[in-house]
Amino acid sequence: MKQMQKDPLSPMKQAMAAREFDKAAAIGAKLVRTHPKNVELQLMTSVAELRGTHPRRAFPRLSKLVQSVPASDHHIGMVLQNLIAFARATGDYHSLTTLAEKLHRQNRNQPLFAEYLANVMIEHDKWMSIAPTYSPDLLRAVDLLESIPPNFGRYAQSQHVLAQLYVRVEMVDKALALYEKMVAKTPDDMTLRHNQIAAQALTGKVDPAVCNSLDLIENHNETNTQPYLVVAFLRPQAMPETALPFLEKIHDDTAQHGLHRYNAAFALARTAEVQQDFQTAFGWYQKGHAAHRAMQAYDGIQEASEIDHIIALSEADFASRQAGSPEEILADLAGADDPLSPKPVFIVGLPRSGTTLTERIVGAHSDVYPAGEVGDFARAVAEVVGVGTIAEQMERITPKAARAIRQKYLAAMAGYAPAARMVANKTPANFLRIGQLRKVFPDVPIIHCMRHPLATCLSIYTTPFANPIRFADDLQDLADYYQRYEKIMAAFARTDDTGQIFHLSYEELVADPDTIAPRLLAHCGLDWQAECLEFYRSRQAAKTASLMQVRRPINAESIDKWQRFEPFIGPLAALAGGDDDGGKSSKRRIQAA
């Protein structure tokens, strides 16, 4: 009786099942020598290499494979996906982009490779920076996706990506028009409809965002929590009563994804807050944060160590500057600057401290382009000195590196608005990068926004950020982080020998904008224009949690909103000054340092 032939891949499959990926890769590499045309074997070997300790070994194999497998072959999708997995595992997007360019160039008649090149460029951009950046590659990705014909098998998927890309590069009208067209064609595609709502909310189209969210809730038995969150925070009075039990059920179901439980709790919290039931509201905010903390731990000790490291480096740099010549340092840095290109201004501070209002005032000036929360500085630093913690990168910024970072950043600013005199970057977290900024741009204005400690912390605590803030998930962690923020800003104030930083009190600005706003503009080297206090007339999208406030004139409505939660704030209470402090405690502590 003839024996059944043994599967030659059996040892490899067993090693893969046991998660012994290096062993599986070695077996696969040996088998490939005798079976070089076996595409499935090549793919399995590359997967083992990608999951093992030598992911770079997969690239030559996949690179040859993708150039030999026809675009019509059913394996091509897996080969392309594995190449993306290679870039994610190694961070080597340069090799992948070069290969994708080659594939597109050699296969101009194949929309698959135009789509793939665009996706690689988008993936690389997001890997470099979560925040949007100026990127010629993204603009090219737009062109590539727009060129894909309707008869392409993946046309619908490519249009989904294109709509999201339009939002990222601020082609707002195109994004909304494309979403409307796609939803009209496939109204039951819930992922598409959720993306449309997110785009509408992000670009300030409040009425359509709320109406579409309510349609899903009331007419489509919506189970995704995003539309409920949109209604709760953009028009809470419109939240249907029937939605509340559903949201409670979602939160209480521990099998639900943590983000849905977080969204449900925050929607319930905001609904209760509008109804003036502050104790219930705060309880739901706490439950939402607990759901998020369960998803991702927070290491406050590591955060404190990083801030201490940044302070030490900043003080060492200060001592070095004192021993040298500021004029010579600046001349060396700025020697290659284009005198006609826009100059930067950086607006920093904790989230919810008035950075958006400040950018709106500065950005309303005729000489200024407000870029919003963009990641161009962090990206330029990473491209020149590599990824790492802020302190690690700061240590690597030599004078040569500083010049390179400066030129990259200035080129990005010219990309945003080549005719502007100044481009404002309103990225709150750049307060941690002031030490880096001084090494690269000792000659540009920095505006540090401050607000009453409790107003800042409670606004952070009760805001559903698109990317929830980890240190805000626990009141004690939030209080500790605020104190570390004061500590690092005090260190930057002590070493501000040139008056580069303008410390702006939100309360003082709101109380007396006619006095404070002109001082703010003067610090930036700008003449006063009355239009700067009419920023709310601008149609520019506000991609922040403050999108409603910046569409109204300056007002004091939010000054004391934190007091509604004062009985429940626990460890945050230690951050406040006296009853008549008026938000000055942080400013005094920072400037007196």
Side-chain angles (χ1 to χ4, degrees):
M1 182 176 178
K2 188 176 180 179
Q3 290 185 337
M4 184 177 295
Q5 186 175 2
K6 186 178 180 181
D7 180 3
L9 297 182
S10 180
M12 186 179 183
K13 292 176 180 177
Q14 290 175 3
M16 292 282 282
R19 303 187 68 81
E20 296 175 342
F21 299 117
D22 286 345
K23 180 180 178 180
I27 296 170
K30 185 177 180 180
L31 290 171
V32 162
R33 296 191 194 107
T34 54
H35 301 81
K37 294 183 179 181
N38 188 321
V39 175
E40 290 187 5
L41 175 58
Q42 294 272 21
L43 277 170
M44 189 182 299
T45 303
S46 70
V47 169
E49 290 167 336
L50 289 170
R51 295 187 179 182
T53 56
H54 303 288
R56 288 189 175 277
R57 292 178 181 172
F59 186 75
R61 185 183 317 284
L62 291 167
S63 179
K64 291 179 181 178
L65 198 58
V66 76
Q67 295 177 78
S68 62
V69 173
S72 58
D73 191 287
H74 70 280
H75 290 107
I76 191 67
M78 184 62 71
V79 178
L80 295 174
Q81 288 176 23
N82 281 348
L83 282 164
I84 290 284
F86 158 78
R88 290 173 180 169
T90 63
D92 186 2
Y93 281 90
H94 175 74
S95 294
L96 178 57
T97 303
T98 301
L99 177 60
E101 287 273 18
K102 181 179 179 180
L103 292 169
H104 174 58
R105 187 170 59 251
Q106 294 176 343
N107 300 274
R108 293 283 185 182
N109 62 333
Q110 293 285 354
L112 173 67
F113 294 109
E115 179 198 32
Y116 188 66
L117 177 56
N119 285 335
V120 168
M121 289 175 168
I122 295 167
E123 174 100 11
H124 184 203
D125 182 78
K126 290 181 179 178
W127 184 80
M128 289 299 300
S129 174
I130 295 176
T133 61
Y134 176 76
S135 170
D137 281 348
L138 286 189
L139 298 179
R140 183 159 176 235
V142 168
D143 291 339
L144 288 166
L145 292 173
E146 287 180 339
S147 73
I148 291 176
N151 62 354
F152 175 50
R154 290 180 45 82
Y155 181 71
Q157 294 94 320
S158 71
Q159 294 297 288
H160 283 211
V161 174
L162 179 58
Q164 292 175 304
L165 183 56
Y166 279 150
V167 174
R168 188 168 177 88
V169 299
E170 295 191 347
M171 295 182 178
V172 175
D173 292 340
K174 283 191 171 185
L176 298 178
L178 182 54
Y179 273 123
E180 187 172 348
K181 178 182 176 181
M182 290 191 294
V183 168
K185 187 174 182 179
T186 54
D188 294 328
D189 184 335
M190 291 299 105
T191 299
L192 178 59
R193 295 200 63 177
H194 295 152
N195 288 343
Q196 179 190 36
I197 289 167
Q200 289 168 335
L202 191 65
T203 56
K205 305 297 183 183
V206 174
D207 288 341
V210 171
C211 288
N212 283 325
S213 295
L214 288 172
D215 178 54
L216 293 184
I217 292 169
E218 296 175 337
N219 301 320
H220 293 270
N221 298 317
E222 180 57 65
T223 57
N224 186 297
T225 53
Q226 181 222 29
Y228 296 89
L229 195 67
V230 168
V231 174
F233 279 83
L234 293 185
R235 193 160 296 154
Q237 64 274 18
M239 180 69 76
E241 282 290 330
T242 55
L244 304 184
F246 167 78
L247 292 170
E248 291 179 7
K249 182 179 178 181
I250 291 292
H251 170 267
D252 294 343
D253 182 1
T254 56
Q256 289 282 343
H257 190 280
L259 188 58
H260 284 309
R261 298 182 68 219
Y262 171 89
N263 287 348
F266 265 65
L268 288 163
R270 180 58 179 159
T271 302
E273 184 179 349
V274 169
Q275 295 170 350
Q276 307 293 298
D277 186 352
F278 301 121
Q279 183 172 2
T280 298
F282 201 79
W284 279 116
Y285 284 127
Q286 288 180 304
K287 290 177 181 179
H289 281 293
H292 183 250
R293 176 58 60 90
M295 294 171 57
Q296 189 175 24
Y298 169 69
D299 189 346
I301 295 175
Q302 189 279 329
E303 195 93 53
S305 175
E306 167 75 354
I307 285 177
D308 286 341
H309 194 181
I310 295 171
I311 290 172
L313 291 171
S314 297
E315 290 174 342
D317 286 342
F318 174 68
S320 178
R321 289 198 307 273
Q322 294 294 97
S325 167
E327 292 79 11
E328 290 180 4
I329 293 172
L330 180 57
D332 182 56
L333 280 169
D337 288 3
D338 181 348
L340 299 180
S341 291
K343 301 299 184 287
V345 55
F346 294 94
I347 301 169
V348 306
L350 282 179
R352 313 298 292 154
S353 62
T355 55
T356 299
L357 173 61
T358 302
E359 186 208 29
R360 282 307 203 233
I361 292 171
V362 174
H365 195 284
S366 60
D367 289 338
V368 180
Y369 174 81
E373 292 187 26
V374 292
D376 297 276
F377 184 75
R379 178 170 184 162
V381 171
E383 287 179 340
V384 174
V385 303
V387 297
T389 68
I390 291 174
E392 289 169 348
Q393 291 178 324
M394 193 171 167
E395 288 181 301
R396 301 177 204 148
I397 300 179
T398 62
K400 180 179 179 181
R403 291 193 296 273
I405 294 167
R406 184 180 178 104
Q407 293 311 308
K408 280 182 176 289
Y409 187 81
L410 290 176
M413 297 304 99
Y416 283 117
R421 178 181 164 193
M422 183 172 282
V423 174
N425 178 336
K426 184 216 72 117
T427 303
N430 274 343
F431 80 85
L432 292 166
R433 295 184 181 271
I434 288 178
Q436 293 183 352
L437 289 171
R438 283 176 170 166
K439 292 169 78 77
V440 178
F441 289 110
D443 54 328
V444 307
I446 298 172
I447 302 166
H448 167 223
C449 298
M450 295 173 290
R451 189 179 172 193
H452 190 289
L454 296 184
T456 301
C457 289
L458 281 167
S459 190
I460 290 173
Y461 193 74
T462 59
T463 297
F465 294 96
N467 296 299
I469 297 174
R470 290 184 301 147
F471 65 75
D473 283 332
D474 178 85
L475 290 172
Q476 185 61 62
D477 286 339
L478 179 54
D480 291 344
Y481 191 89
Y482 189 89
Q483 290 176 326
R484 289 193 284 271
Y485 148 76
E486 282 191 339
K487 181 180 181 181
I488 195 171
M489 287 310 306
F492 289 140
R494 283 195 306 272
T495 55
D496 187 18
D497 50 326
T498 61
Q500 186 177 12
I501 304 173
F502 185 93
H503 298 281
L504 176 65
S505 163
Y506 175 82
E507 287 79 12
E508 291 177 3
L509 174 62
V510 169
D512 190 7
D514 291 326
T515 299
I516 304 299
R519 293 178 188 170
L520 171 64
L521 273 292
H523 180 76
C524 299
L526 298 167
D527 295 331
W528 174 245
Q529 293 179 355
E531 292 80 6
C532 292
L533 290 181
E534 297 179 351
F535 56 85
Y536 50 90
R537 300 184 188 277
S538 172
R539 293 184 64 251
Q540 184 185 11
K543 298 183 178 181
T544 75
S546 310
L547 67 89
M548 294 305 294
Q549 291 95 316
V550 298
R551 285 176 168 75
R552 294 154 49 202
I554 290 178
N555 63 82
E557 289 179 14
S558 61
I559 292 290
D560 297 324
K561 285 177 67 175
W562 63 269
Q563 293 178 355
R564 64 185 62 173
F565 293 123
E566 190 172 12
F568 320 114
I569 62 176
L572 294 181
L575 301 176
D579 292 339
D580 61 347
D581 177 70
K584 299 175 184 176
S585 51
S586 283
K587 187 173 183 178
R588 282 198 297 261
R589 287 192 289 266
I590 290 169
Q591 292 185 310

